[in-house]
Amino acid sequence: MRIALCGGTGDIGEGLALRWAYDTGHDLIIGSRDPEKARTKAEEYGTELESRGTETTIKGFENAMAADRADVVVLAVPPYHIRDTVEAIADRLDSDTVLVSPAVGMKRDDAGLHYNRPSAGSVTEMVAEVAPEGVPVVGAFHSLSAGKLANLDIELDEDTLLVGEDEDALDIVHLLAEGICGLRSLSAGSLENAAEVESLTPLLINLASHNDDLHGVGVTFE
Amino acid sequence: MRIALCGGTGDIGEGLALRWAYDTGHDLIIGSRDPEKARTKAEEYGTELESRGTETTIKGFENAMAADRADVVVLAVPPYHIRDTVEAIADRLDSDTVLVSPAVGMKRDDAGLHYNRPSAGSVTEMVAEVAPEGVPVVGAFHSLSAGKLANLDIELDEDTLLVGEDEDALDIVHLLAEGICGLRSLSAGSLENAAEVESLTPLLINLASHNDDLHGVGVTFE
């Protein structure tokens, strides 16, 4: 599978790229608004993986080039860059491209982080609103700690929740998620359920700050 | 410790009453608007516990009588009865009574259940608004499946999240929570963080409906 990580130079993009490169045989493309930055980061990831005995061909491109001919495009960008990023890659997307949204809007006050619900209902629904018609959207990977993902010494043992409506697209993202060792993917229903899924992210960050030994905490459902 | 469960005839009240009676030595009082119903349910719980070899003295009273002289009052009532219930018991509460809120507001649509955020920010914050001044409020037990709690054959292995500002009150509720075998309590910060905690409940119910073997699903953070 060919996976493009738009904004793949950021922390969650790095974590997902390293895990997929290390645990699976998928082709990975790092996207950025700045192609030079994308190339530099792709090389960094390659060096890290080679030091662990994994040969890779991770390449870096400007976002639209990265998304070109990708089977799956992950929007690993902050919520306020979603619209720009989707517009920039729109003509590379079609009904065979799965658009994956891991982003969460949050705001901070004295008590900690809070879910900042966009007018679309959730960031995932915002992606569905701005995506070209017919492009399937799946929300996933919201509750993963970027730092923990990017540290390949840490064994994962947690769940990720998927929302979406296109069954084929959901199957692909379940497969991608479970390709990462120690990650289990569960269905949380349709896009309308994304707000509760995205709300987990500030909750996890608050738990990490209020409990010893819960740095980079993940969530398991059973 | 003397624990009053206002609305203790309902499903979450039943689950908490049975677990505390079975796993701890706390005194339990079942409260209801209807004292006869409270007495009947208290007897039912007693019979269930006796069948398992646990002698108890669970008693049932009208809510205000139940709350009288309790160390902890659990508001095991739906969100739309919070205000009435707190008003009915207000003159039995003081700064030594811990008021515990496990309730969550939800609404259903075709996609499933959704968090229905009250204007106070969360049900827990609504409780704090209507509680007499100086009475400490703690949000807890939102993510527990009532059915699983009430079935003493099921071993628990999950977490509950606490929010609140009064350290002494939080210590008491941590102690009560961890008195239930298989339940771990974690701090989620102050009352302003209650919305993300309460949002877990519709998420868990949606997960139960979308995944095999997740009936009565709980949550663990690690």
Side-chain angles (χ1 to χ4, degrees):
Chain A
M1 197 103 63
R2 185 180 167 96
I3 309 172
L5 288 143
C6 291
T9 58
D11 55 2
I12 185 73
E14 175 177 7
L16 288 170
L18 289 175
R19 291 283 170 173
W20 276 321
Y22 196 62
D23 291 344
T24 76
H26 300 305
D27 288 330
L28 293 163
I29 318 288
I30 304 305
S32 171
R33 282 175 301 174
D34 174 354
E36 186 50 39
K37 193 172 162 193
R39 275 192 291 274
T40 305
K41 277 290 185 177
E43 271 174 36
E44 264 181 50
Y45 303 165
T47 305
E48 164 70 8
L49 289 155
E50 271 168 39
S51 77
R52 294 169 179 273
T54 301
E55 290 295 323
T56 64
T57 56
I58 304 185
K59 291 207 170 64
F61 293 102
E62 187 272 328
N63 278 327
M65 278 290 287
D68 197 46
R69 292 178 297 124
D71 302 297
V72 174
V73 175
V74 181
L75 292 167
V77 297
Y80 47 88
H81 281 318
I82 291 282
R83 200 171 288 267
D84 287 352
T85 308
V86 174
E87 280 171 12
I89 65 173
D91 63 358
R92 315 296 171 117
L93 304 174
D94 59 32
S95 61
D96 290 329
T97 323
V98 182
L99 202 50
V100 176
S101 177
V104 175
M106 293 184 281
K107 57 189 169 191
R108 184 179 287 281
D109 67 13
D110 289 347
L113 280 168
H114 300 285
Y115 183 50
N116 194 9
R117 189 172 184 163
S119 58
S122 62
V123 175
T124 311
E125 286 164 288
M126 187 171 81
V127 170
E129 273 185 13
V130 299
E133 208 180 320
V135 175
V137 172
V138 173
F141 309 121
H142 303 94
S143 64
L144 305 183
S145 153
K148 198 158 76 174
L149 270 188
N151 182 348
L152 296 173
D153 289 332
I154 299 178
E155 280 188 31
L156 303 181
D157 181 17
E158 60 190 88
D159 294 338
T160 185
L161 303 179
L162 269 53
V163 288
E165 270 127 43
D166 183 298
E167 291 300 329
D168 294 336
L170 284 164
D171 286 348
I172 287 170
V173 183
H174 275 297
L175 197 78
L176 284 189
E178 304 233 337
I180 295 176
C181 295
L183 193 62
R184 180 178 69 155
S185 67
L186 296 171
S187 303
S190 65
L191 295 176
E192 284 97 324
N193 294 345
E196 284 82 13
V197 173
E198 295 176 7
S199 296
L200 268 174
T201 306
L203 179 65
L204 289 168
I205 297 170
N206 292 340
L207 286 176
S209 80
H210 286 285
N211 298 274
D212 295 337
D213 306 323
L214 288 188
H215 181 71
V217 60
V219 64
T220 308
F221 299 92
E222 53 197 332
Chain B
M1 197 102 64
R2 187 180 166 97
I3 310 172
L5 287 144
C6 291
T9 57
D11 54 2
I12 185 72
E14 175 177 7
L16 287 170
L18 289 175
R19 293 281 170 172
W20 276 321
Y22 196 61
D23 291 342
T24 76
H26 300 304
D27 288 330
L28 292 163
I29 319 288
I30 305 305
S32 171
R33 282 177 301 175
D34 174 355
E36 186 51 38
K37 193 171 161 195
R39 275 192 291 275
T40 306
K41 277 289 185 177
E43 271 174 37
E44 263 182 49
Y45 303 164
T47 305
E48 164 70 5
L49 289 155
E50 271 167 40
S51 78
R52 294 169 179 273
T54 301
E55 289 297 323
T56 64
T57 57
I58 304 185
K59 291 205 170 65
F61 294 103
E62 186 271 327
N63 279 327
M65 278 291 286
D68 197 45
R69 294 177 297 123
D71 302 297
V72 174
V73 175
V74 181
L75 292 167
V77 298
Y80 47 88
H81 280 318
I82 292 282
R83 202 171 286 268
D84 287 353
T85 308
V86 173
E87 280 170 11
I89 66 173
D91 62 357
R92 316 295 172 119
L93 304 174
D94 60 31
S95 61
D96 290 329
T97 323
V98 182
L99 201 51
V100 175
S101 178
V104 175
M106 293 184 280
K107 56 189 169 190
R108 184 179 288 281
D109 67 13
D110 289 346
L113 280 167
H114 300 285
Y115 183 51
N116 193 8
R117 189 173 185 162
S119 58
S122 62
V123 176
T124 311
E125 286 163 288
M126 186 171 81
V127 170
E129 272 185 14
V130 299
E133 208 180 320
V135 175
V137 171
V138 173
F141 309 121
H142 304 95
S143 64
L144 304 182
S145 152
K148 198 159 74 171
L149 270 188
N151 182 348
L152 296 173
D153 288 333
I154 298 178
E155 280 188 31
L156 303 181
D157 181 16
E158 60 190 88
D159 294 337
T160 184
L161 304 179
L162 270 52
V163 289
E165 270 126 43
D166 184 298
E167 291 300 329
D168 293 337
L170 284 164
D171 285 347
I172 288 170
V173 183
H174 275 296
L175 197 80
L176 285 188
E178 303 232 338
I180 295 176
C181 294
L183 193 61
R184 179 179 68 155
S185 67
L186 296 171
S187 303
S190 66
L191 295 176
E192 283 96 326
N193 294 346
E196 284 82 13
V197 173
E198 295 176 7
S199 296
L200 268 174
T201 305
L203 180 65
L204 290 167
I205 297 169
N206 292 340
L207 286 175
S209 81
H210 286 286
N211 298 272
D212 295 336
D213 306 323
L214 287 188
H215 180 69
V217 60
V219 65
T220 308
F221 299 92
E222 54 198 330

